[in-house]
Every structure is written in C-alpha cells, then in structure tokens.
Amino acid sequence: MCVGRLLGSVSETVTKTLQATLATPTTGKEQRLQRLLDTYRDALHDAFDAGANTMSAVNDIVTPYHLPYQAKDALKSYVPKLRDTYNAEELDDEHPARLVNRAATFDHSPERDHGFVWQVPQPGRGTNFWIPLQINPEQESLWFDLLDGDATAGELRLQRHRTSWELHVTVEYSVEEPTEPDDPTYIGFDVGESALITGCALKRDVPRKPMLVSGSRARHLRKEMHTTLKRLQERDAAQWRIDERFEHYQNALTDIVEKASREAVEYARQFEDAVIVLEDLSYIREYLDYGKWMNRRLHNWAFARLQGRIEDKATEAGIRVEYVNAAYTSQTCHACGRLGRRDEQAEFVCPHDDCHVSEFQADINAAANIARRANPWGESVRWEPGRDDSPRDGSACDSATVPRETSEKSSQMRLAADSD
C-alpha cells in the first residue's frame, strides 16, 4: 500500500529561497554592510553565550546593539531555537545576518543595469540605502511575484563570501494542487549513486521509455571535495581557503541536483496524467547497512535533497507526487512481485519459471517497482528478504548504485523496457 503522503486537491503553499548577489558596492556602502554583519554576529554570540532562551531574554541583551529593528527581531526569534530546536553547543563565527520579512523592500526598473534593487536596513531613521541585485535569471518570475504581492517574503539572510555579498530571501507562494487523474501513468524514480536518477513509467504494468541520469559527475565531485579539504586541513590552510573550496563544491553539487531534478520532471511531463512516485526515505539509513565504506558514501549523498527538488518542480508543473515504501525495490521483480537476485551488478534476475521476466536492467527494475507500488493493490511483496543480494564489498546499495554493464546473455525484457 502507498505510504507517505499525497498532494491535496485545492491549493498548496510552496516555499523557495531566492538567491541574489549584491552588485559591487561603493566603499562607503561596503563598510556599512560589514558593520551590520559584524554587529549582528556580536549580538548573536552575546545572547547565545548568556543562555538566553526566550524572546524577552534575547531582547534585553540585543537592545543596546546598534542594529536595525529587523535584525533584532530576527535574533529574538532565532536565538531561543539554537539550543531548544537545533541543540547547538557552540556557534560558527560565519553566521549570516538574519532579518525578518519587514526588511524585504525591493524595487525594479528595466532602465537600470541591474533591474532589481534592495533597500538595506540600517539603524536609525533615514539611514537605509539601496543596492542593486544580480538575480538568478531562472528565478526572475518569483522576484516579480514578490513585488506584485503574489509571493510573500519570509526571512532574509545576508552573507559575505570574501569579495562578494549574497542575499537569500525565503518566499512562499500558492500553486494549484493537481487532482488525481482517472487513468494515471505512474512514473517511478530510483535515486542512487552511480545512476543519480533512473526513471520508468508504467503503462498497463509494462515499463515504458526509461530515462537515466548518470551520477558519475556528482560522485567525482564528492571524492575530489573529500580529498581536497582533507589536504587543506592537513596543511593548516587558512580557514577562508577551506571555506572557499567547500563552497565551490557545494555550489557544483547544487547545480547537479537542480539539473537532474529538472530533467526528471521534464521526463514525467511527456506522459499523460503523470503521477511521480518516489521512495519514502525517512528511515532508509537506519534500515540499510552495507558496511562502513558504503554507509559513509550513503550518508554523504543527500538523497532527500534531490527528491525534494523533484517534488518542488513537480508541484510547480502541476504533477502529483506520491511516496511509497522503499524496502527491497532493487531485489524484487517488478512483474511478479517476488524476490530475485542480482548475479551481475547491473542485472536483476527473476528465478521463477512462471514469470515472463528472465533478466532485467537492475536500475530500471527498481524504478518500475517504485512506480508499481503506487497502486494500492499492487504490493504483494513479503517485507522480509530471502537473502541479502547486495555485493559484500559495498559496491551497491538498495537504491541501485552500480555501473551500467551489458549482459552477454540474451534478455527479451530489455526491448520491452525501451518500447512504447
């Protein structure tokens, strides 16, 4: 039976973070930006070190600081959460300056080099100043929605990265939730390591037009990031240098997630009455144990982050999303629902003579299983494995993580997987 959640039928509030880089400020404006950030951090550390855990206690500490009220109000809300919600024991020195949504004063003019500008809040009356923003072009429509009132601003975060300044603005907006189609096409997405995403649509219980996004680039970046940062730390490199390299890799991985999630939703849009089906990974890391080597790699890859971006983009595209049980999707035959094996890492083998499947591409089989489980009558799997078919060297996991290889054996179902 389908577990997790179904999207509703009327409307839904979506939260997204808008990103912008501040245009190079003048010397005077940069000094005022830096003063705002430094003073905010001083107040934050002072309130945290004092153990302030209520808004009134934080207010007593931050009131003397020369900060705009938007920053003080953000501190009053944020500091009590640090220990109660986040269980923080100490603070990083590089916290961004947080501002409540009353600091979200923006303007736009097509006559300017940078159309969007932000009014930076300052302490005292008449001290605020405007600064141009270099926005992400893909988010331009949401910036206009923010100006028009079709989107509502939440928290703002101002951060400095060596020679540049960044502004992040949380926004909320409503989208129409898709209704449940009468004859849905369920599309399963298996998220893994070697194959970042494998998608497969089911029509009349037959896999159709599978898609695959390679995970080689992400895997290479994660390995390079781990090696580079370790070497920098061993050489006692300056912290700004370590932070700069970490940010570089995180930005590159974020770009991969954005592109992969966009490709997944575009794949789903080609099918009529599409419903995207994802694995419920809430407890996947507790259930899986493939040894220290693979567990570290699984924990390092943000499966949920990629799924979240798929869901965000699907919601915006009007595509319904369902979550299903994640157990044994790569060890179960999508056709007969019984446990099989993986004699070769990239192949699933169904050993049952009465099943028409002999061999099947393992990742596509997993994605087909995920799609199949959206049917409340479709799960006939015993939730206990006959044996653990994962390779003992940790080179694969339940969400297929193996390189693609072509079997020398014939397989009638490879053609079916790619047919229409």
Side-chain angles (χ1 to χ4, degrees), residues 138-314:
E138 294 184 1
Q139 297 181 332
E140 184 179 59
S141 62
L142 271 178
W143 282 100
F144 280 114
D145 288 345
L146 190 58
L147 287 177
D148 297 337
D150 295 329
T152 303
E155 184 183 69
L156 288 75
R157 296 188 300 277
L158 176 68
Q159 180 66 291
R160 181 170 188 170
H161 298 283
R162 293 199 65 210
T163 59
S164 65
W165 292 84
E166 285 189 4
L167 179 70
H168 291 185
V169 184
T170 302
V171 297
E172 292 185 350
Y173 56 98
S174 297
V175 296
E176 291 299 319
E177 292 187 3
T179 57
E180 184 172 357
D182 294 331
D183 184 22
T185 299
Y186 292 110
I187 302 165
F189 285 107
D190 182 54
V191 177
E193 250 211 333
S194 292
L196 190 56
I197 302 178
T198 303
C200 184
L202 283 189
K203 273 292 189 181
R204 296 179 295 278
D205 291 329
V206 177
R208 306 283 184 177
K209 299 179 180 178
M211 61 86 72
L212 182 145
V213 176
S214 173
S216 60
R217 175 61 178 159
R219 189 169 61 253
H220 171 77
L221 280 171
R222 294 197 306 279
K223 182 178 179 181
E224 183 180 304
M225 178 176 67
H226 174 76
T227 302
T228 301
L229 295 182
K230 183 178 180 181
R231 287 176 178 172
L232 287 172
Q233 290 171 341
E234 290 174 348
R235 296 171 183 174
D236 293 327
Q239 188 60 43
W240 68 262
R241 178 62 174 164
I242 297 175
D243 292 342
E244 182 184 63
R245 297 309 298 165
F246 179 80
E247 181 183 359
H248 164 75
Y249 289 117
Q250 289 301 304
N251 289 340
L253 289 170
T254 296
D255 184 62
I256 290 173
V257 167
E258 290 300 307
K259 290 179 179 178
S261 57
R262 186 183 308 115
E263 186 172 343
V265 174
E266 287 301 316
Y267 167 77
R269 292 182 69 169
Q270 69 180 299
F271 298 98
E272 187 175 356
D273 293 332
V275 175
I276 288 177
V277 189
L278 301 171
E279 292 177 301
D280 184 349
L281 300 179
S282 301
Y283 305 102
I284 193 69
R285 289 186 174 87
E286 284 75 7
Y287 291 156
L288 295 178
D289 185 6
Y290 294 103
K292 182 178 180 181
W293 180 83
M294 177 51 77
N295 284 346
R296 178 175 65 82
R297 299 187 71 176
L298 284 172
H299 281 260
N300 285 344
W301 178 240
F303 292 106
R305 178 183 177 192
L306 178 54
Q307 284 193 337
R309 295 303 293 141
I310 292 174
E311 182 174 358
D312 289 344
K313 290 178 171 61

Side-chain angles (χ1 to χ4, degrees), residues 62-110:
V62 304
T63 294
Y65 281 88
H66 199 52
L67 285 168
Y69 70 88
Q70 298 95 329
K72 291 181 179 179
D73 286 349
L75 284 166
K76 287 187 285 185
S77 174
Y78 179 59
V79 173
K81 297 177 183 177
L82 286 170
R83 284 195 171 90
D84 295 341
T85 304
Y86 305 130
N87 297 318
E89 295 181 359
E90 59 181 7
L91 295 184
D92 190 287
D93 292 332
E94 301 300 315
H95 264 66
R98 297 172 182 265
L99 306 163
V100 296
N101 60 0
R102 283 171 290 174
T105 302
F106 302 99
D107 187 45
H108 178 269
S109 172

